[in-house]
Amino acid sequence: MSRREKAWLTAAVVGWIALNGAVLLLAPGNAPFDWPAQHDPPSGPGQVIAAQATLVELVLLAVIGYALTRGRPAPVIAERAPTLPTARRETGLVLAYGVLAQLGGLLIGRGLGWHPIGFHLAGTLVGTTDPVGPAEALGWAAYNVVVYALLPLLWFRRRYTAHQMCLRSADRRGDAILILAVLVLESLAQWVVLGHAFAGLTPGQLAAGVPLTFLLYMAGTVLPTVIFVQGILVPRYARLTGSTTATLVLGGLTYAALHLFEGWGRFGSPREATLTILFVLLIYTLPGAFKTWLTVRTGNAWVHAWAYHALAPHTMHDTGLIVRIFRL
């Protein structure tokens, strides 16, 4: 391991420890978040334990993924990004665009009487006691797919190929095997932890709710992640840092930052705002880094979408939410 990789790895470990410590310090008991789908109220200790369990799970998935792909030539995705000056400029502009898109989602959502439009529909994974209507669900999906996927794709595909944007597989059979392995293992893990999400749904509700959930979350969070994070930013992070570890860290932090305005977030006081940011980082940085690892390992941004996003966890866990929203 190079000195640069060791430095980034050390920074990542220290940052992770500091993040967990901050959560325990500021939320020794229950946190002020609306998570009715959880068995227990959200708490600092509970989320820290859950985060370590996620870390162990993702390390195991990465080990299995590495074993399945060790015979493949590792793609050098940094070479798919433009030269350093251009990569630096484009990265800055894309991140600035992302900030404006987040603020736009906040203002539009509030202006329409909805929750802020973030990377997750309000109630995703944790539930909500604040009702979400069909118009909000459709508006959330439409805003995100246009702002984070369609517009960036149209802009960058004029300048870069699908290969350069990691949107084309170089080994379809190998990618399919990896997708299947991760999907099966992640689905089993989700079923053990969140299997109750399907409880009480009738066959008719599942028949209508599963495809609707898949389509909504594909538009609202999966395609935006594929294009905005994995296809555009990840190759540029690799070019700018020259470090795989740094690319994983930055990919994870970017993915987490896009969830800042979750429906459960609270910004009414400095403590609430700080806890919201800390919980977002604790919950989403590791999954974001693993999604990035799948892209870096295969050179294909679609692998994460099918292996670790569209089906598990969202379709598995959020079908009940969509059934309630649309009264199926």
Side-chain angles (χ1 to χ4, degrees):
M1 181 180 292
S2 69
R3 181 175 300 179
R4 178 179 297 177
E5 295 289 354
K6 289 180 180 178
W8 274 101
L9 181 59
T10 300
V13 171
V14 171
W16 181 248
I17 293 172
L19 173 61
N20 283 268
V23 169
L24 291 173
L25 180 64
L26 293 178
N30 293 341
F33 302 132
D34 178 28
W35 289 8
Q38 302 295 302
H39 292 298
D40 301 303
S43 68
Q47 285 308 300
V48 166
I49 292 172
Q52 310 324 304
T54 298
L55 176 60
V56 172
E57 177 200 0
L58 295 182
V59 168
L60 291 175
L61 288 177
V63 169
I64 294 169
Y66 180 82
L68 291 173
T69 58
R70 67 183 184 277
R72 297 172 54 172
V76 184
I77 64 170
E79 295 180 354
R80 303 183 184 185
T83 59
L84 275 175
T86 302
R88 190 177 296 113
R89 182 178 68 256
E90 289 181 346
T91 300
L93 290 173
V94 170
L95 291 176
Y97 173 84
V99 171
L100 293 176
Q102 288 278 288
L103 293 175
L106 170 64
L107 295 176
I108 292 173
R110 290 305 191 193
L112 292 173
W114 302 341
H115 299 84
I117 299 175
F119 248 45
H120 277 165
L121 179 64
T124 296
L125 299 177
V126 298
T128 180
T129 57
D130 192 8
V132 178
E136 179 175 349
L138 294 171
W140 163 78
Y143 179 87
N144 280 359
V145 75
V146 170
V147 173
Y148 294 103
L150 181 60
L151 294 180
L153 179 63
L154 291 175
W155 179 265
F156 278 91
R157 278 293 280 121
R158 295 167 58 192
R159 295 160 174 78
Y160 301 100
T161 66
H163 172 76
Q164 289 173 309
M165 294 185 66
C166 299
L167 299 178
R168 180 174 296 163
S169 174
D171 185 347
R172 293 184 179 181
R173 181 177 181 275
D175 287 349
I177 292 172
L178 177 60
I179 288 169
L180 184 61
V182 173
L183 176 60
V184 169
L185 293 173
E186 175 62 13
S187 297
L188 289 173
Q190 291 291 334
W191 189 262
V192 170
V193 177
L194 304 172
H196 64 281
F198 281 151
L201 297 181
T202 67
Q205 288 175 322
L206 289 172
V210 166
L212 181 56
T213 303
F214 173 81
L215 291 174
L216 284 173
Y217 280 88
M218 176 63 72
T221 189
V222 177
L223 289 177
T225 304
V226 169
I227 303 300
F228 191 81
V229 182
Q230 303 301 323
I232 296 173
L233 286 172
V234 166
R236 285 156 182 77
Y237 288 156
R239 170 71 79 181
L240 293 175
T241 64
S243 164
T244 298
T245 304
T247 302
L248 302 186
V249 170
L250 293 175
L253 290 174
T254 302
Y255 181 73
L258 290 167
H259 293 80
L260 180 61
F261 295 125
E262 291 286 83
W264 51 262
R266 296 290 182 269
F267 295 90
S269 69
R271 178 178 180 272
E272 287 182 345
T274 301
L275 279 177
T276 296
I277 294 170
L278 291 175
F279 270 56
V280 164
L281 291 172
L282 190 67
I283 295 168
Y284 294 115
T285 302
L286 287 177
F290 182 67
K291 289 173 171 61
T292 303
W293 182 84
L294 289 171
T295 300
V296 170
R297 186 67 189 163
T298 64
N300 183 2
W302 291 105
V303 169
H304 104 268
W306 304 116
Y308 189 76
H309 208 177
L311 300 174
H314 287 309
T315 300
M316 285 190 65
H317 186 64
D318 291 310
T319 295
L321 172 67
I322 299 303
V323 166
R324 291 190 295 274
I325 290 174
F326 288 86
R327 300 180 182 180
L328 300 176

